[in-house]
Amino acid sequence: MKCGLVPGTFDPVTSGHLDIIERAAALFDEVIVAVAHSDKKGGGPLFSATERVSLIETATAHLPNVSVREFDTLLVDFAHEVGASIIVKGLRAMTDFECEFQMSALNWRLNSRVETMFIMAIPEFMFLSSSAVKEIAAHGGSVRGLVPEVVCDALARKMSSTC
Ligand code: PNS
């Protein structure tokens, strides 16, 4: 039984994240999406951890082998706690590489039994990020197609943007 862990802040989950989760779900028996609290990141997340978990649960309802959990510990410790031996991350443009390379090296240093694997983003989502989505929504732009439908509605409610 191979379990993959797809971690992130997911503030909010985008269509790019969802694509990576769907592709991981096809590769592993079980996939756990690990939502980091990330309370100290930037000015703090727009959506609470509970809201982010709920949005991902709705967006992944069609994937029976995917579950969503929040965590506020070291990622490798959480992987050990839930019995996942592989961290799965999406890789977009080259700008992701340096940061992801550093994180995977540190995670390996912390627990070398937990492997990190990368899935390349498809060209359509190569330059998509949660921050860009929030910026577009904050200025009243439409994020339809860039995020799952449920997130589009949640952003519209939170930011009075259009969906
Ligand atoms: O979506 P993000 O913000 O790029 O995800 C980053 C995340 C949450 C995967 C990363 O910050 C993380 O693993 N946080 C948990 C704390 C931890 O284990 N830090 C050491 C890794 S360098």
Side-chain angles (χ1 to χ4, degrees):
M1 185 91 169
K2 274 273 174 225
C3 177
L5 194 64
V6 182
T9 301
F10 302 109
D11 185 42
V13 65
T14 67
S15 301
H17 291 133
L18 186 57
D19 179 59
I20 299 297
I21 295 167
E22 284 172 342
R23 288 159 69 192
L27 293 171
F28 291 90
D29 299 303
E30 186 191 354
V31 167
I32 298 173
V33 180
V35 178
H37 280 212
S38 298
D39 292 333
K40 294 177 194 77
K41 198 177 170 186
L46 174 66
F47 292 95
S48 71
T50 310
E51 286 173 320
R52 285 176 274 145
V53 166
S54 164
L55 290 171
I56 302 169
E57 277 174 345
T58 306
T60 58
H62 61 296
L63 302 167
N65 60 338
V66 172
S67 60
V68 191
R69 300 264 305 266
E70 58 184 87
F71 76 105
D72 197 18
T73 60
L74 279 177
L75 180 58
V76 289
D77 291 345
F78 185 67
H80 183 256
E81 183 189 321
V82 297
S85 54
I86 302 181
I87 294 167
V88 183
K89 307 241 23 210
L91 208 52
R92 295 166 301 184
M94 282 303 286
T95 43
D96 268 354
F97 184 78
E98 183 123 4
C99 179
E100 294 297 345
F101 192 58
Q102 182 194 28
M103 273 199 272
S104 65
L106 287 171
N107 283 332
W108 190 84
R109 175 77 176 70
L110 290 166
N111 185 344
S112 59
R113 287 187 304 273
V114 180
E115 199 61 75
T116 302
M117 98 176 218
F118 294 96
I119 296 181
M120 295 303 298
I122 59 169
E124 191 184 342
F125 300 136
M126 207 55 109
F127 296 97
L128 179 58
S129 69
S130 298
S131 328
V133 161
K134 283 182 282 190
E135 192 162 327
I136 294 168
H139 289 92
S142 170
V143 292
R144 185 172 293 282
L146 301 180
V147 291
E149 202 70 25
V150 64
V151 175
C152 214
D153 294 339
L155 277 168
R157 278 196 303 276
K158 197 154 289 246
M159 295 182 133
S160 312
S161 58
T162 44
C163 183

